């Protein structure tokens, strides 16, 4: 079936919904999502939105931009960081005016708390910059933006999975979409499309990411010839619930929670004496793993199961129940631990992709040399780059609001100034190809589970918090073998409607491709920077590696190129806290 729109948004998280809202006045706008918007992964964001409101103490957007650049280990494009920080207060007040129920100060202003890596006066001391709604900030963003999209007549196609992108050269013409409820394939023609499909943490064994975070957008565009940028940088959040990956927000430490090793020692004083437990996430994750590797972790059945404690019991029950109520419920439900009276067991968990689809500051997909006309991206699946080698807490929500909005505005302008997309020359061929492929998958074959588990095992063991050349070569070898055996996979479910087995097989292909991108780029970058920490190359090498990585999928291997980093404001300096 052929369906036509002016603007199509793929993904219904915060970036997608904000883009849809901004583009909705320019023509017929639709959101295509394999989930209902309230289930998008933005809803899992707990801690807050970083913005220099100065409601609690003195702050400036320039300080926020500096923290972003420094926290990203100077791989951040600094023009993008300034846009992020300057526009953050407007984004917060816009959400407030649209109905988001922020926590309040006694004077009725939006309350703010500390978060890792956020400082005043260019690193002098921690600052209260995070605007929050208890520990449900992302959930409140989703509710607010979804309501506004409905109000502004955005069309939603729920439980539709995009499986291919149609391009004429570098001009978008449309998408191929699988409607999960009927099994029907649709050709969606559009003037422009934005990919806001979120992250791809499911390639790791222990992750904070939802089951649906399978990197659909970056993988589809990669197979269509678009390069991916900075894929070697994947953040491990320091405080995931032990063995589960469910996140314990940085807001716990922002409220005064502290990390303790098996000896009851507050070990962060050795690693970041200024910011302590509120140092950037990559530093805290490495500190935890260093403690565990030194035998200072609390013992599990195996060394890789060791953990440390996050103690918030000294804050008192009232603070725990009012400031971090969801975290308290998670710990009581899954661990039988009451955070108001005892410490929470935590481990680093695969959390956030700094790399993804390369874009400019208006969301247009570009490798720096050419622009894919009508093709946009925003949110975690995009790389603008405001996170560089390591994202600061709260900046994910700031990014999706600021750059989701900018992308939506850019798409609206493009839609108003361009003619309807011409029919794709290969749309009919692609529809036939996908019908045939899905039918073949239903004929049966090898179960996908073993390949999925093997991928997660090798990525966790070899491309984790600490990396080295030998282990990453092993990961590339493993991933290549798994991609070669992918063709043997088949489904056991013959149903036409809601065939989740077929959907998961297609998602596994996306994860395998992105695992190859991630590991190949990581092996080539012979330095340690931000979340990319190599045991065999422990130092940062600005002379050789102050550049973005561009990775192209070329059959069974990855071809690598590079792109210049904007360092127009601050020259790189050692990152000391």
């Amino acid at each position: 079936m052929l369906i036509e729109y002016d603007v199509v948004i793929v993904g219904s998280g915060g970036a997608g919904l904000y883009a849809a809202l901004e583009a909705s006045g320019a023509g017929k706008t639709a959101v295509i999502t394999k989930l209902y918007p309230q289930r998008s992964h933005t809803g899992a964001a707990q801690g807050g939105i970083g913005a220099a409101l100065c409601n609690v103490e003195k702050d400036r957007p320039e300080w926020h931009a500096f923290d972003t650049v420094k926290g990203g280990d100077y791989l951040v494009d600094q023009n993008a960081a300034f846009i992020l920080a300057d526009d953050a207060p407007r984004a917060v007040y816009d959400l407030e005016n649209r109905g988001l129920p922020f926590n309040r100060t006694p004077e009725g202003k939006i309350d703010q708390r500390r978060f890792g890596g956020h400082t005043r006066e260019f690193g002098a001391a921690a600052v209260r910059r995070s605007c929050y709604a208890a520990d449900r900030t992302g959930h409140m963003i989703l509710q607010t933006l979804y309501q506004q999209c409905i109000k502004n007549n955005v069309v939603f196609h729920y439980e539709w999975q995009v499986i291919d992108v149609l391009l004429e050269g570098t001009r978008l013409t449309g998408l191929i979409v699988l409607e999960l409820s009927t099994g029907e394939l649709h050709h969606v023609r559009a003037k422009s499309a934005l990919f806001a499909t979120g992250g791809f943490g499911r390639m790791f064994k222990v992750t904070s990411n939802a089951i649906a975070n399978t990197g659909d957008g970056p993988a589809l565009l990669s197979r269509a010839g678009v390069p991916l940028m900075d894929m070697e940088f994947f953040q491990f959040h320091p405080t995931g619930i032990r063995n589960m990956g469910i996140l314990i927000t940085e807001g716990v430490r922002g409220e005064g929670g502290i990390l303790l090793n098996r000896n009851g020692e507050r070990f962060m004083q050795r690693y970041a004496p200024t910011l302590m437990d509120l140092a950037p996430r990559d530093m805290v994750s490495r500190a935890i793993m260093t403690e565990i590797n030194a035998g200072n972790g609390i013992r599990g059945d195996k060394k890789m199961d060791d953990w440390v404690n996050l103690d918030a019991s000294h804050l008192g029950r009232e603070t725990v129940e009012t400031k971090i109520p969801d975290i308290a419920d998670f710990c009581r439900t899954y661990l039988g631990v009451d955070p108001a009276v005892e410490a929470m067991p935590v481990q680093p968990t695969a959390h956030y992709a700094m790399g993804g689809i390369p874009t400019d500051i208006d969301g247009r997909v570009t490798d720096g040399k050419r622009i894919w006309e009508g093709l946009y991206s925003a949110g975690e699946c995009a790389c603008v780059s405001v996170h560089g080698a390591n994202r600061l807490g709260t900046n994910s929500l700031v990014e999706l609001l600021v750059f989701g909005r900018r992308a939506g505005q850019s798409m609206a302008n493009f839609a108003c100034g361009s003619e309807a997309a011409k029919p794709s020359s290969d749309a009919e061929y692609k529809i036939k190809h996908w019908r045939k492929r899905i039918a073949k998958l239903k004929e049966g074959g090898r179960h996908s589970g073993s390949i999925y588990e093997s991928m997660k095992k090798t990525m966790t063991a070899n491309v984790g918090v600490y990396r080295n050349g030998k282990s990453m070569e092993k990961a590339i070898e493993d991933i290549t073998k798994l991609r070669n055996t992918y063709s043997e996979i088949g489904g056991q479910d013959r149903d036409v409607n809601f065939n989740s087995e077929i959907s998961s097989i297609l998602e596994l292909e996306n994860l395998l491709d992105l695992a190859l991108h991630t590991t190949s780029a990581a092996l080539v970058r012979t330095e340690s920077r931000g979340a990319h920490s190599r045991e065999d190359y422990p130092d940062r090498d600005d002379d050789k590696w102050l550049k973005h990585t561009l990775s192209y999928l070329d059959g069974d291997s990855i071809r690598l190129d590079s792109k210049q980093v904007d360092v127009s404001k601050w020259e790189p300096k050692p990152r000391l806290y």
Side-chain angles (χ1 to χ4, degrees), residues 2 12 46 49 60 69 170 201 210 226 234-235 244 273 288 357 378 382 422 439 465 479 519 522 570:
L2 174 64
S12 60
Q46 299 162 343
I49 308 166
R60 288 167 50 186
V69 171
T170 56
V226 176
F234 201 98
Q235 181 177 88
M244 301 186 68
I288 291 173
I357 303 163
K422 295 180 180 179
V465 174
I479 295 299
T519 310
W570 294 295

Side-chain angles (χ1 to χ4, degrees), residues 97-158:
N97 292 333
R98 293 181 187 275
L100 197 150
F102 286 104
N103 276 49
R104 300 285 171 175
T105 66
E107 299 79 22
K109 297 179 180 180
I110 295 173
D111 200 4
Q112 296 181 273
R113 62 185 171 198
R114 293 175 179 171
F115 241 75
H118 290 275
T119 70
R120 58 176 172 85
E121 300 172 6
F122 307 106
V127 69
R128 299 183 186 276
R129 184 177 290 151
S130 174
C131 311
Y132 62 99
D135 54 359
R136 305 175 181 126
T137 312
H139 176 74
M140 296 303 179
I141 289 173
L142 280 184
Q143 296 292 337
T144 302
L145 292 178
Y146 180 47
Q147 291 165 4
Q148 291 293 321
C149 285
I150 296 297
K151 177 182 177 181
N152 285 274
N153 301 314
V154 174
V155 177
F156 282 84
H157 294 290
Y158 308 108

Side-chain angles (χ1 to χ4, degrees), residues 312-381:
S313 60
H314 57 283
L315 302 180
R317 184 166 296 280
E318 181 179 357
T319 297
V320 169
E321 299 298 345
T322 59
K323 298 295 184 69
I324 52 169
D326 279 1
I327 295 301
D329 284 344
F330 290 156
C331 289
R332 286 191 288 259
T333 299
Y334 297 116
L335 301 174
V337 169
D338 184 352
V341 297
E342 54 191 321
M344 298 166 275
V346 296
Q347 298 167 312
T349 181
H351 179 54
Y352 192 90
M354 273 75 74
I357 303 163
T359 74
D360 64 13
I361 57 174
D362 293 314
R364 299 180 299 176
V365 175
T366 176
D367 60 2
K369 301 174 184 177
R370 53 184 171 164
I371 292 174
W372 276 261
E373 191 178 5
L375 193 57
Y376 296 77
S377 184
E380 188 176 350
C381 72

